[in-house]
Amino acid sequence: MTHRIRVQLGFTLAELAVVLVIVGILLAGALIPLATQLEVKSIADTQRGIEQVKEAIFGFTQSNGRVPCPATPTIATGVTNAGVEQMSGNNCATTYGVVPWVTLGITETDAWGRRYSYWVDNAFGDAIASNTTQGSGQATCSYASLSPAPTQSSFAICSEGGFTIRTRATDHSFTATAQKIPLVIISHGKNGNGAYLPSGTKTTVSGALSDEASNATSTSTTFYSRTATPTASDCDDTTSGKSFCEFDDIVAWITSYSLVTRVISAGKLP
């Protein structure tokens, strides 16, 4: 008696569905860590970029006796004056703009392709000839009262800036982490809230009561640097009990003491 064995080749639809689900789970498990790694890399690259910005500012200050003024943020890359510091007479044309990457000879954007926002206290960015050493964050540091008065620096040992950096606790209360800062540099992170693009356009800022909104305001003198938080609906960074708004800004600054030390080492201050 001959027995015939029938071999069924291929998969049934049910079996195929199970295989696809398993493959999907494996791919998802592989992609999530990859996305996280890419995000960590972008943050690290941006932090290194900010350190390069700071070192370039130090070098400029040692050579010129003042910090560079902001560049106009609305000028597209490649157009005349794009990335060039803007002065009006002996003063910075504006205290807010973007890092003047052309003037400093550095990379234009952060890891997400957006320009670094940049605020400068004018006492540190004005020309030496302006004879202004008193920063906006202090009551007394008059050029006329200094003996000897600085002749190779736009600011003096007693000069202090007017910017404040704050952080927040879990109950939304804030404390100052740095005060009387002469300049602030901000990457607006992956979400880019309030950043300028190489095209010269500004991205939308979401959340009127968010710390990111404060970090994207041209007239702001108070900035927030805190732990990153994900997006949330009906958020409010200022009120205890509410959800924190999305935050991924990378905030950096240079103290007046650091600038003074560099200028003294360059022989531009006694």
Side-chain angles (χ1 to χ4, degrees), residues 52-184:
Q52 292 174 354
V53 171
K54 292 168 69 174
E55 284 304 313
I57 290 174
F58 281 133
F60 182 98
T61 304
Q62 288 177 302
S63 296
N64 297 278
R66 64 177 182 85
V67 303
C69 294
T72 303
T74 55
I75 302 177
T77 303
V79 177
T80 301
N81 288 327
V84 178
E85 66 158 346
Q86 296 299 301
M87 295 195 75
S88 177
N90 285 330
N91 298 303
C92 291
T94 176
T95 58
Y96 163 74
V98 293
V99 167
W101 71 91
V102 171
T103 298
L104 296 176
I106 56 176
T107 302
E108 175 183 0
T109 63
D110 61 18
W112 297 279
R114 304 183 186 97
R115 294 170 175 171
Y116 298 101
S117 293
Y118 181 52
W119 289 259
V120 172
D121 189 303
N122 192 59
F124 289 81
D126 61 354
I128 296 172
S130 67
N131 292 349
T132 303
T133 54
Q134 183 169 305
S136 58
Q138 61 195 134
T140 56
C141 183
S142 171
Y143 181 89
S145 66
L146 298 176
S147 181
T151 58
Q152 300 183 69
S153 173
S154 66
F155 53 92
I157 293 175
C158 58
S159 299
E160 295 178 328
F163 301 124
T164 298
I165 311 298
R166 292 174 174 174
T167 190
R168 289 193 188 274
T170 54
D171 64 354
H172 295 242
S173 62
F174 63 81
T175 55
T177 57
Q179 294 178 312
K180 299 183 178 181
I181 300 300
L183 65 87
V184 177

